[in-house]
Amino acid sequence: MTPSVDSVVVPPRGQRVRETIAQLRERILGGEWPVGGRIPTEPQLVAALGVGRNTVREAVRALVHAGVLECRQGSGTYVVSTDELAPVVARRLTDRMAEVVEVRRAFEVEAARLAALRRTPDDLAALDAALAVREAAWRSGRVDDFVEADAALHTAVVAAAHNGMLAELYASVGAALRSTVAQAMGGALEPERYVDHGRLVAAIRDGDPARAAIEAGAFLEPPPGA
């Protein structure tokens, strides 16, 4: 169920903010800004919607509060869901890391399999770009940058699966999924923790769904006895 404009908390600014929220949501629901994608910058939204900067800022903040958008420092604002249940699910999973890993495996293995069957040239270009950013983030040694870049690559894989429901469900638990990566890093990017995703992208490029599924699931296998 998607949150209506009336269900979103609106600041006192009033009708203009409410109308701007409606316009933003219309573009999200219409697919102009898909789940997992970044929305235009604040100045671009001001120009496109014909409203003031403060109005745009308050409308975006309201949709962040509703769990539809997520602001990522240094990266921009992203569509994370069209479902008001998303923040509830994310909070539920945050303290259940073992379950989050199982959810990741369920989503990411199937996404990789579908991506190998359905990927387009644009998808492959996006995967190559995301992989390059991920590798650069690893070399930088900055954990936060790597976590975001790793999440972006997996989001690109899900996008290449061309299953809207899968993309929305995956995005709805994005914060919890990133937490598992940060936890796995243990505060530092040590060589023994590096996972090569080049083989995953190669399997998708080759159109090999079985190999893509294996590559996607291999690093999420539970330890023996778990």
Side-chain angles (χ1 to χ4, degrees), residues 53-226:
R53 186 180 294 267
N54 287 340
T55 299
V56 166
R57 190 170 299 155
E58 291 177 11
V60 168
R61 188 180 299 125
L63 289 175
V64 168
H65 179 78
V68 174
L69 298 176
E70 178 181 83
C71 293
R72 300 177 188 171
Q73 187 173 4
S75 181
T77 301
Y78 290 78
V79 180
V80 295
S81 182
T82 58
D83 189 342
E84 63 186 346
L85 189 59
V88 177
V89 174
R91 285 194 297 270
R92 179 178 175 85
L93 287 175
T94 298
D95 297 326
R96 303 184 180 191
M97 287 298 108
E99 292 183 12
V100 172
V101 172
E102 292 175 355
V103 170
R104 279 193 68 185
R105 193 172 195 284
F107 284 163
E108 293 177 11
V109 169
E110 181 61 10
R113 189 187 72 80
L114 291 174
L117 295 171
R118 301 174 178 175
R119 80 283 186 276
T120 66
D122 286 345
D123 292 329
L124 293 175
L127 287 168
D128 286 339
L131 180 62
V133 171
R134 181 181 185 271
E135 294 301 302
W138 178 269
R139 291 192 297 271
S140 77
R142 294 187 292 271
V143 174
D144 289 347
D145 288 352
F146 177 76
V147 169
E148 288 299 327
D150 184 76
L153 175 58
H154 288 291
T155 299
V157 172
V158 173
H162 294 280
N163 182 308
M165 183 173 290
L166 176 60
E168 185 168 332
L169 288 170
Y170 188 78
S172 74
V173 294
L177 300 185
R178 286 193 293 278
S179 293
T180 66
V181 178
Q183 187 179 74
M185 292 302 102
L189 301 181
E190 302 292 346
E192 62 271 17
R193 297 192 179 103
Y194 175 76
V195 176
D196 178 16
H197 282 351
R199 293 192 298 270
L200 169 60
V201 173
I204 294 172
R205 181 185 306 281
D206 292 344
D208 188 332
R211 196 168 101 239
I214 290 171
E215 291 295 339
F219 69 99
L220 291 171
E221 286 290 350

Side-chain angles (χ1 to χ4, degrees), residues 36-53:
R38 183 171 57 187
I39 70 171
T41 63
E42 187 176 279
Q44 290 171 330
L45 289 174
V46 167
L49 302 176
V51 295
R53 186 180 294 267

